[in-house]
Amino acid sequence: MFRPATASDAEAIRALTAGTGYFKPMEVETLEEVLADFFDHAHRLRHRCFVWDDTGTIRGYVYHAPEEMTDRTWYVWWIAVAAGQQGLGLGSKLLAFAEDDVHVLGGRLLVVGTSVTP
């Protein structure tokens, strides 16, 4: 089920991200900084982070935030699914959740950047 991420989820989110095989070590380090900022203060800036929690195990997450100085534009900064859960539709559920969340918050556009990983 979806739930807001908590500070105690940070290590599981980092490990999940590193374990996907899609993110470089530098990107995982950046994620650690993003999460530290999020739990410290960025959530007050309307940044949003949600996890898919399967009976105490995080299987995926999505992090999205509004883009400053735009007309209700939001960005998905991070989205990842645990390696053993990929290809089962969870990524689509995470994205649909973010789309719905942004819509409820009055967003007009959600941008998803993609990796240049082959």
Side-chain angles (χ1 to χ4, degrees):
M1 79 173 157
F2 285 106
R3 66 168 175 77
T6 64
S8 63
D9 296 324
E11 176 54 29
I13 292 170
R14 188 210 61 76
L16 181 153
T17 304
T20 65
Y22 291 106
F23 296 94
K24 298 173 184 159
M26 179 184 70
E27 293 169 320
V28 175
E29 289 175 21
T30 299
L31 172 63
E32 290 175 7
E33 295 171 14
V34 167
L35 290 173
D37 286 347
F38 174 74
F39 295 121
D40 184 42
H41 68 275
H43 65 280
R44 287 184 233 125
L45 302 174
R46 294 184 24 171
H47 287 218
R48 315 274 285 167
C49 186
F50 292 89
V51 298
W52 178 266
D53 186 328
D54 183 12
T55 60
T57 302
I58 295 174
R59 306 289 185 192
Y61 72 95
V62 61
Y63 185 110
H64 52 288
E67 182 63 23
E68 294 182 22
M69 299 174 30
T70 67
D71 179 19
R72 297 168 290 138
T73 299
W74 288 66
Y75 277 85
V76 170
W77 284 23
W78 297 88
I79 187 168
V81 174
Q85 301 294 303
Q86 294 173 6
L88 303 175
L90 181 53
S92 295
K93 288 180 183 177
L94 289 163
L95 184 56
F97 181 88
E99 290 171 343
D100 291 344
D101 190 48
V102 167
H103 177 75
V104 166
L105 294 170
R108 182 185 62 81
L109 176 68
L110 179 63
V111 178
V112 181
T114 59
S115 171
V116 295
T117 304

